[in-house]
Amino acid sequence: MRKKWLFLVLATTLVTIQQDVSAQQRQKEKYRNKANDPVSGLSYDRKLRWSDNLFRAGSFFNAIDYYQQLKQEQERNPYLAYQLAECYWYTRDYVNASHFYHEAYMFAPKVYPEAIFKEAIMLKMQGEYDKSIQTFNKFIADNPKTYKKLKKFAKVQIEGINRAVVAMKDPQPVNVVNCGPNVNSAYTELSPYPLGDTALLFSTMRQNTVMEIDRHTRNLIVSRFVVSRKQERVEQVDSFQWAIPFMDGHFNSNSVHVGNGSYSPGGDRFYFTRCAEGDSLKVSCRIYVSKFVGSAWSEPEELGDGINGDGSNTQPYCAKLGKKEVLFFSSNRTLQSRGGYDIWYSIIDPRKGTYRRPQNAGKQINTEHNEITPYYDSRENKLFFASDGWPTYGGFDIFSAEGGPSRYHNLQNLGYPINTSADELYFIKDPMGKPDAYVVSNRIGAIALKNPTCCDDIWRIQYEPKLAVTGTVVDRKNDHLITQSVVKMVDQNGDAKTYNSEDGKFLFHLSRGHQYVITSDKPGYSSMRATISTMDIKRTDPDDTVTAVVYMDTIVHDFSVHNVYYDYDKATLRPESVGSLDTLVSFMKDNPAVSVEVYSFTDGKGDEKYNKELSSRRAESVVNYLEKNGIDRARMIPKGFGKEMPAAPNTVGKKDNPEGRQLNRRTEFRVVTDVPTKHVIYNSAKKGTMDEQMQNLKVDETMNDNDDKEPADKESEMGKPGSRVNKK
């Protein structure tokens, strides 16, 4: 699916669209009041012709205004809806574009059958992945015998979405940050090229406001080379000084757009493009070279017809492959093309200054759609490029492939967050030091002239050290690996990752500045926790992998929860109860398959009915506390038993037994697992804290899920006496 704005990107900036905004600004200011706008007063047919002429001229923003006026007269007109959708697509307003494509298809599906496909694309580029898949599938289902190529491409789009969902759950160890207002403006910035580790060369119009175009200002709105020097690093964050004109050679022009600069490996040649605007947004780019002779750069020369053949030829990048110098570039020439823009290359003879006939980089790289912005890393022997023909997360994604210049393997998407649901172009790494990089993207967060995704900015990719934890899940009793478990890693923010461990082993990727807790879940087992901290790791630290062991126990021993106190004759938890219950909270979070029954009791004093109500309120207060701290209420069942099932005698002979009554004023917890047993996990008579005793859970096999009757007064079935509580 060819996009008009792609031609503009290849010219280094969305200048024509932005210029159109400028060209029409004078008229919009003059007729800010709709009543004074003569176009607004035209008849429907004449205003429609006016709008269509604006559309054909690429005046999309102004066309939108008048199509919207027309739509007020004919709200359900499918043509107006479709034209609005097209305008919003060309200006990269994905939200509005998807809305109006949906309208066009709803109003006239037989007239605009492709509108639903385009709607799906726009939903994808918003990151509305579920809706996008549904819409792609509807397009496929609604066209059982037609649009074979487009349906095939729809399946590629769905594959890209599925890969995006997986990638977002396991992001790459990088930070992607906007290079800031000293580099980026509200207009588009493109073709970053790092000059060592001290400065950045790129192309921009360097405008933040809408400009009015006339013969006096025409030379202000062409894209030019500028350079921005890096400021001294502060806490490992890259910052840039205000960009200034690049004056090394006679590269900039007042009449055409320039960009896509690249030096030869020896630094004695500078390649770049000059792009001229034609009619109807057509942009034609040609590749130029300037040579450093003596002490100055020569006048740029256009490369011969072999490089600048038919079509548009742009984005040159010169690299060393073994002993050869190779010029990579992007072209939409037709001969030997695989479709759209392809990556091409030419072998250079630097001594003779000749270039071999360009060759297509091949089907391992190029698709029927568009592959652009080539960059070759000679250190890794990898070609990096942008494509919208392979499965992508949005529009264009950055890919890498090993090999070159004609044969490649191991094609890889660079992953999230380098690639997003928006467009990513112009990936390039630093030439020295830590391999940080740059990318151009219109993702949310860019400095935008109109809608949030209208325009491209240059973003800094800061690679983090690759941190990982590998480990095993082990039975603490015999040190055997526990298979078929689910390992969970949670950070301090509550963000969780899971790993289905078939063989008892697991692997997680880590990020700096986090505290992690790792647990495992399997029916019939309780999990201990392993903790890992990356709080002190710096961005400049080397890659590191640590190991961890998560121990699990079969539930075969008992343990107790101490110090669950209540005020006298109340169900309110006292502050000193919080510590013990927080330990239970951690246990239940670490063991999500575990559910508990909360049993509360009183001593033998008082009315039986009152005691039962009091014990029920006490059990409910415990459940409320656990729920407040993140435990699903469905995993807890409160029960009050009053003075039933005493854990100790309330009297000895005919005398009162305060110690026994103290033991009877208690709350107990019983584990309810997916097996038909209820496990006593509470015994205040044993020594040790809950953390210490939680390693040993005792199964009470005498009580099972079929035992629905009220428990009998059998101390042997309850284990040892329950937790200590305050007076009734």
Side-chain angles (χ1 to χ4, degrees):
M1 188 66 57
R2 191 68 58 86
K3 305 177 185 179
K4 288 187 179 180
W5 67 263
L6 175 57
F7 291 102
L8 309 177
V9 168
L10 296 171
T12 74
T13 182
L14 293 171
V15 290
T16 307
I17 290 177
Q18 307 298 1
Q19 287 174 5
D20 170 70
V21 177
S22 305
Q24 301 295 327
Q25 183 65 16
R26 180 166 41 188
Q27 178 180 347
K28 294 187 73 172
E29 289 295 330
K30 182 177 179 180
Y31 301 120
R32 183 173 294 277
N33 185 339
K34 183 178 176 181
N36 297 328
D37 183 357
V39 178
S40 297
L42 293 176
S43 66
Y44 179 91
D45 291 338
R46 293 184 67 185
K47 188 187 295 185
L48 179 60
R49 286 196 297 271
W50 181 273
S51 303
D52 288 343
N53 286 334
L54 289 173
F55 179 85
R56 284 190 291 270
S59 182
F60 300 124
F61 288 114
N62 287 283
I64 287 171
D65 291 340
Y66 293 116
Y67 282 134
Q68 290 282 19
Q69 291 180 27
L70 291 165
K71 204 169 187 302
Q72 292 178 9
E73 299 182 44
Q74 295 187 9
E75 185 177 353
R76 297 181 62 82
N77 187 314
Y79 176 78
L80 298 177
Y82 191 80
Q83 289 299 101
L84 279 167
E86 294 281 279
C87 288
Y88 282 120
W89 188 358
Y90 296 151
T91 56
R92 299 162 93 186
D93 186 339
Y94 307 133
V95 175
N96 280 316
S98 64
H99 169 78
F100 286 107
Y101 279 130
H102 179 81
E103 276 197 3
Y105 188 78
M106 181 177 63
F107 295 154
K110 293 184 179 180
V111 178
Y112 300 108
E114 294 182 41
I116 189 172
F117 176 88
K118 293 183 177 182
E119 177 193 355
I121 292 286
M122 295 296 94
L123 289 168
K124 180 186 178 187
M125 297 193 71
Q126 295 173 49
E128 294 283 354
Y129 287 148
D130 290 340
K131 293 181 181 178
S132 180
I133 289 177
Q134 293 174 6
T135 310
F136 277 126
N137 284 329
K138 180 172 176 54
F139 168 74
I140 294 171
D142 288 357
N143 297 277
K145 297 181 179 180
T146 55
Y147 296 101
K148 291 183 178 180
K149 281 191 175 182
L150 210 54
K151 287 189 292 185
K152 181 179 178 181
F153 193 42
K155 293 178 181 179
V156 173
Q157 299 291 333
I158 293 173
E159 181 183 352
I161 292 174
N162 291 330
R163 293 186 182 186
V165 172
V166 173
M168 292 174 69
K169 293 179 181 177
D170 188 20
Q172 296 298 307
V174 299
N175 294 317
V176 183
V177 294
N178 192 286
C179 285
N182 286 351
V183 170
N184 295 309
S185 67
Y187 284 56
T188 289
E189 282 70 38
L190 292 170
S191 62
Y193 187 89
L195 303 176
D197 193 40
T198 61
L200 180 67
L201 173 70
F202 59 99
S203 180
T204 180
M205 285 194 297
R206 198 69 226 171
Q207 298 295 332
N208 284 299
T209 59
V210 174
M211 291 190 62
E212 180 178 322
I213 299 176
D214 56 31
R215 60 188 180 89
H216 301 293
T217 61
R218 179 63 184 81
N219 64 336
L220 297 178
I221 45 75
V222 294
S223 59
R224 294 183 174 90
F225 285 122
V226 296
V227 64
S228 179
R229 296 192 178 278
K230 281 188 180 181
Q231 298 175 351
E232 292 186 5
R233 292 187 176 185
V234 180
E235 297 180 356
Q236 306 301 320
V237 176
D238 294 316
S239 58
F240 297 85
Q241 299 177 11
W242 183 257
I244 59 176
F246 184 60
M247 305 298 292
D248 277 16
H250 302 93
F251 309 137
N252 288 325
S253 170
N254 289 334
S255 58
V256 296
H257 306 290
V258 299
N260 302 309
S262 161
Y263 286 96
S264 63
D268 59 344
R269 280 167 281 125
F270 183 75
Y271 297 91
F272 67 104
T273 54
R274 287 177 174 172
C275 302
E277 301 171 41
D279 296 332
S280 301
L281 294 182
K282 187 174 182 180
V283 176
S284 178
C285 297
R286 311 289 281 180
I287 298 175
Y288 287 73
V289 64
S290 177
K291 300 176 183 179
F292 193 78
V293 180
S295 60
W297 289 96
S298 68
E299 193 67 28
E301 297 178 357
E302 182 179 335
L303 294 183
D305 288 340
I307 302 297
N308 289 309
D310 66 309
S312 186
N313 303 277
T314 185
Q315 300 160 348
Y317 186 86
C318 192
K320 195 88 169 180
L321 277 72
K323 297 181 179 180
K324 299 178 181 178
E325 282 192 15
V326 180
L327 180 68
F328 294 92
F329 62 98
S330 179
S331 174
N332 66 346
R333 62 186 64 196
T334 56
L335 186 63
Q336 295 182 334
S337 171
R338 291 188 57 80
Y341 277 83
D342 282 352
I343 305 298
W344 296 75
Y345 71 93
S346 173
I347 306 297
I348 304 172
D349 186 336
R351 292 174 298 178
K352 297 180 180 180
T354 58
Y355 300 80
R356 292 186 189 174
R357 183 169 63 88
Q359 301 293 317
N360 191 290
K363 63 181 180 180
Q364 296 92 351
I365 299 296
N366 295 314
T367 68
E368 294 181 1
H369 298 272
N370 301 291
E371 282 68 45
I372 58 176
T373 65
Y375 153 69
Y376 195 89
D377 188 341
S378 299
R379 296 168 295 183
E380 295 187 82
N381 295 321
K382 282 185 178 181
L383 176 68
F384 296 84
F385 61 97
S387 173
D388 66 354
W390 296 100
T392 66
Y393 303 168
F396 279 94
D397 276 5
I398 305 297
F399 292 83
S400 69
E402 300 175 20
S406 60
R407 296 181 180 179
Y408 297 90
H409 63 280
N410 195 25
L411 180 72
Q412 295 284 335
N413 186 302
L414 293 199
Y416 177 84
I418 295 175
N419 290 316
T420 67
S421 63
D423 286 312
E424 277 74 42
L425 314 160
Y426 286 105
F427 176 88
I428 186 169
K429 286 188 176 182
D430 287 339
M432 60 186 66
K434 189 176 178 68
D436 288 346
Y438 298 88
V439 72
V440 169
S441 176
N442 68 324
R443 66 184 68 191
I444 296 294
I447 302 171
L449 180 69
K450 286 287 184 177
N451 64 78
T453 53
C454 75
C455 309
D456 291 301
D457 274 0
I458 298 172
W459 299 73
R460 185 69 166 139
I461 300 174
Q462 298 175 323
Y463 281 84
E464 295 282 321
K466 294 180 180 179
L467 307 176
V469 54
T470 61
T472 53
V473 182
V474 175
D475 189 320
R476 193 170 63 90
K477 183 177 181 180
N478 54 30
D479 286 335
H480 291 169
L481 292 178
I482 296 178
T483 61
Q484 305 295 321
S485 66
V486 177
V487 186
K488 181 172 71 172
M489 183 176 74
V490 183
D491 68 8
Q492 73 273 21
N493 300 317
D495 295 330
K497 297 179 180 179
T498 58
Y499 189 100
N500 293 322
S501 178
E502 298 290 333
D503 57 0
K505 300 177 182 179
F506 62 87
L507 167 68
F508 289 108
H509 296 293
L510 311 175
S511 300
R512 290 188 304 119
H514 288 265
Q515 298 275 8
Y516 295 100
V517 174
I518 302 176
T519 57
S520 185
D521 185 34
K522 183 174 181 176
Y525 287 85
S526 65
S527 174
M528 300 177 66
R529 53 171 52 188
T531 59
I532 297 172
S533 175
T534 61
M535 298 296 290
D536 296 330
I537 295 177
K538 300 180 177 61
R539 197 172 76 85
T540 53
D541 287 345
D543 299 344
D544 193 15
T545 299
V546 298
T547 59
V549 179
V550 177
Y551 288 100
M552 300 190 77
D553 285 283
T554 53
I555 305 177
V556 294
H557 298 291
D558 61 347
F559 73 92
S560 64
V561 181
H562 289 282
N563 305 326
V564 180
Y565 293 112
Y566 302 94
D567 287 330
Y568 175 75
D569 200 27
K570 293 182 180 180
T572 306
L573 288 168
R574 295 182 59 178
E576 52 265 46
S577 305
V578 170
S580 296
L581 291 178
D582 283 347
T583 306
L584 182 60
V585 168
S586 297
F587 171 76
M588 294 190 70
K589 287 183 176 180
D590 292 347
N591 296 274
V594 168
S595 298
V596 297
E597 291 181 340
V598 182
Y599 294 176
S600 272
F601 303 87
T602 65
D603 61 21
K605 286 190 174 182
D607 176 77
E608 181 175 350
K609 180 180 178 182
Y610 179 81
N611 280 342
K612 204 155 193 174
E613 292 176 350
L614 176 61
S615 64
S616 295
R617 295 199 308 273
R618 286 177 172 175
E620 190 68 28
S621 68
V622 172
V623 169
N624 290 338
Y625 181 84
L626 297 178
E627 182 182 30
K628 181 180 178 182
N629 285 273
I631 306 302
D632 187 354
R633 193 177 188 88
R635 297 173 59 194
M636 301 172 288
I637 304 173
K639 293 184 178 182
F641 294 99
K643 60 184 179 180
E644 297 178 6
M645 297 184 297
N650 287 297
T651 58
V652 177
K654 295 184 179 180
K655 295 184 178 181
D656 182 49
N657 182 15
E659 292 80 8
R661 287 192 293 102
Q662 177 73 36
L663 293 175
N664 289 331
R665 297 191 294 268
R666 69 195 190 277
T667 295
E668 295 182 354
F669 303 89
R670 296 191 174 201
V671 170
V672 181
T673 65
D674 56 348
V675 295
T677 31
K678 298 177 181 179
H679 311 284
V680 178
I681 64 171
Y682 179 104
N683 190 340
S684 64
K686 291 180 68 69
K687 295 181 179 180
T689 65
M690 182 176 182
D691 277 334
E692 293 169 343
Q693 295 191 31
M694 194 175 291
Q695 300 174 13
N696 305 297
L697 296 180
K698 181 175 182 179
V699 179
D700 182 0
E701 297 182 350
T702 61
M703 295 189 68
N704 56 56
D705 288 343
N706 297 321
D707 196 358
D708 295 327
K709 297 179 180 180
E710 186 172 279
D713 187 8
K714 296 181 180 179
E715 182 175 338
S716 60
E717 294 181 1
M718 298 294 294
K720 300 293 177 94
S723 72
R724 298 181 59 192
V725 296
N726 200 2
K727 293 182 180 180
K728 178 174 69 178

